[in-house]
Amino acid sequence: MFTLNEKVKNLKPYDPISGNYHIRLDANESFITLPQEIKQEISDRVLCNHFNRYPDPCAEECCASFAKYFGVPASCVMAGNGSDEVISVIMNAFLQKGDTVVTLARDFSMYAFYASLVECRSVVVENNPDYTIPVDNVIETVKREKARMVVFSNPCNPTSLVLPREEVRRLVQSVDALVVLDEAYMDFSDQSLLSEFSKYDNLIILKTCSKAIGMAGIRLGFAVTNETLTKVLLAVKSPYNLNSMTQAVGTVVFDHPEYIRSCVRRILESRDELYEHFCRISKEFPGAFVPQKPEANFVYVLCKDAEGIFNHLKSKGIIVRFMGDHLRISAGRNYENEVVSEEIEAYLKGATQ
Ligand SMILES: *Cc1c(COP(=O)(O)O)cnc(C)c1O
């Protein structure tokens, strides 16, 4: 009889919230759709693909286009099928069975998942009471546990806080472990370490097209690291991990820096607007709804009754991310921000009457 092994026997397929919601603010996607001119350029480009041939194994043109936009050398870039795949490749490459990975309690859940698939142990460090990252504690934990890797997002999903560059630097310089710095949301903040990645032998920076760039559908993410580690990643990934259509779309999009910058500006305006709505609600219902000042494209809110608010929003066709005593709500179009705020207010009014 075939029996399932320990590491997979209790796994369930990833289940993003399914169902029909007219407002989706649960996955930190961009609310901006591509303009017609860029769609046309993509379409022309894709039609030139040789569909009978395997794609470029290292997605060189796509990586060059990404590298130019972010001002890094193309020889230090590895592309993957979303940063999710990149994380998995990094763990396959740099961890061995039984190694220890340090993660933060409030962070992207996929880190510990991929670590478990390579039979590694995750040691979780609690965030400070104000949700910031306790850098000294992280450094001590890495040393004490002889961890081989520490991985975290900056700005952080879900807290939407950013760790100052100086603190990230201190962490990278203080440990022998590999530091995987997920800058998925750094387009919305200003503490990137991308311009200095090559100074370190133990730093990998992750970027994704799924958030600021508004291309979650094409599945495209990148690792930026020194040439030694890049070579390893290119050797470990599966040969044709990026299909030719994604490569073509990525190449075109990064060729439009002004467009990307305008998207970031629009999303930041929306994010600030959503946060202002939330601050107003917070004043009206002290202690019941407490938003964190955001540094990414979503707001993290401590709620007295997160589940009640979540269920109310759901019943109105609005989906946000429920996280125990918190909600994580992505910035949307103006009217979406207004509607979600009105419904939260309506629920809190009803609940306090
Ligand atoms: C959304 C997100 C990603 C992006 O993952 P993709 O696989 O590229 O869509 C990566 N890291 C964090 C922290 C995220 O929130």
Side-chain angles (χ1 to χ4, degrees):
M1 194 182 80
F2 179 74
T3 53
L4 295 176
N5 65 36
E6 284 298 314
K7 69 179 182 185
V8 303
K9 75 177 185 195
N10 294 318
L11 290 183
K12 296 195 177 57
Y14 184 71
D15 183 22
I17 304 159
S18 47
N20 241 336
Y21 298 97
H22 72 101
I23 297 181
R24 301 205 61 124
L25 302 175
D26 61 313
N28 302 340
E29 295 145 325
S30 170
F31 56 87
I32 301 168
T33 51
L34 274 181
Q36 197 51 43
E37 313 87 75
I38 300 186
K39 277 189 180 163
Q40 189 59 52
E41 226 179 290
I42 285 172
S43 164
D44 295 346
R45 186 102 184 193
V46 167
L47 289 175
C48 292
N49 266 0
H50 299 286
F51 290 102
N52 57 322
R53 300 293 176 195
Y54 281 107
D56 173 355
C58 291
E60 281 183 32
E61 221 184 338
C62 182
C63 287
S65 188
F66 164 89
K68 187 165 172 224
Y69 178 77
F70 281 105
V72 295
S75 57
C76 295
V77 177
M78 174 259 178
N81 203 352
S83 359
D84 260 275
E85 188 203 16
V86 179
I87 295 165
S88 158
V89 171
I90 289 171
M91 296 213 171
N92 271 300
F94 301 112
L95 294 175
Q96 302 195 82
K97 181 178 172 175
D99 283 350
T100 298
V101 180
V102 171
T103 60
L104 272 298
R106 291 172 202 265
D107 212 335
F108 194 43
S109 59
M110 301 313 288
Y111 305 144
F113 168 73
Y114 290 116
S116 75
L117 285 186
V118 288
E119 299 178 73
C120 290
R121 187 174 68 110
S122 294
V123 173
V124 181
V125 175
E126 286 300 323
N127 296 65
N128 290 318
D130 64 357
Y131 310 135
T132 54
I133 296 177
V135 175
D136 288 315
N137 191 353
V138 171
I139 293 169
E140 275 166 34
T141 306
V142 168
K143 290 184 174 165
R144 184 183 67 236
E145 303 287 340
K146 299 191 172 44
R148 291 284 292 161
M149 182 181 294
V150 48
V151 49
F152 66 102
S153 55
N154 195 37
C156 169
N157 171 11
T159 66
S160 207
L161 298 177
V162 74
L163 186 65
R165 188 188 275 122
E166 190 48 50
E167 287 289 279
V168 182
R169 232 178 244 142
R170 187 161 73 81
L171 169 54
V172 176
Q173 288 168 344
S174 305
V175 296
D176 292 322
L178 182 64
V179 178
V180 180
L181 172 61
D182 188 345
E183 294 196 350
Y185 299 97
M186 193 54 89
D187 310 79
F188 305 115
S189 189
D190 56 3
Q191 299 298 314
S192 180
L193 234 55
L194 209 48
S195 63
E196 55 188 88
F197 76 89
S198 61
K199 287 188 191 164
Y200 310 102
D201 65 1
N202 63 334
L203 177 65
I204 301 182
I205 299 180
L206 302 181
K207 294 295 295 178
T208 176
C209 288
S210 302
K211 308 288 156 60
I213 320 276
M215 297 298 247
I218 66 170
R219 311 305 301 125
L220 182 58
F222 299 89
V224 180
T225 183
N226 63 59
E227 291 195 14
T228 312
L229 301 190
T230 302
K231 278 197 190 111
V232 175
L233 292 176
L234 293 175
V236 169
K237 74 177 187 61
S238 64
Y240 304 109
N241 60 325
L242 257 202
N243 74 72
S244 57
M245 284 170 286
T246 291
Q247 293 192 28
V249 180
T251 305
V252 171
V253 170
F254 284 112
D255 238 2
H256 291 275
E258 256 323 306
Y259 167 69
I260 298 175
R261 283 192 276 269
S262 75
C263 289
V264 171
R265 283 194 297 271
R266 277 177 67 191
I267 296 168
L268 283 176
E269 275 172 28
S270 156
R271 190 271 317 269
D272 290 342
E273 174 190 271
L274 185 68
Y275 179 60
E276 277 166 31
H277 286 314
F278 286 0
C279 287
R280 194 170 37 72
I281 298 173
S282 178
K283 282 201 189 107
E284 202 180 334
F285 303 97
F289 190 81
V290 187
Q292 280 288 312
K293 191 170 176 355
E295 289 286 341
N297 64 335
F298 54 88
V299 186
Y300 190 53
V301 193
L302 175 65
C303 307
K304 221 181 239 165
D305 180 12
E307 196 169 6
I309 298 174
F310 175 74
N311 285 329
H312 173 76
L313 293 176
K314 231 170 131 179
S315 75
K316 298 288 175 181
I318 304 166
I319 194 74
V320 301
R321 185 68 188 269
F322 171 59
M323 315 185 91
D325 52 359
H326 284 78
L327 296 175
R328 191 196 67 196
I329 305 176
S330 317
R333 297 182 185 89
N334 300 76
Y335 112 91
E336 294 177 320
N337 294 344
E338 268 162 35
V339 173
V340 74
S341 305
E342 279 165 15
E343 288 300 342
I344 290 168
E345 214 172 340
Y347 176 80
L348 292 173
K349 272 199 179 117
T352 52
Q353 259 164 19

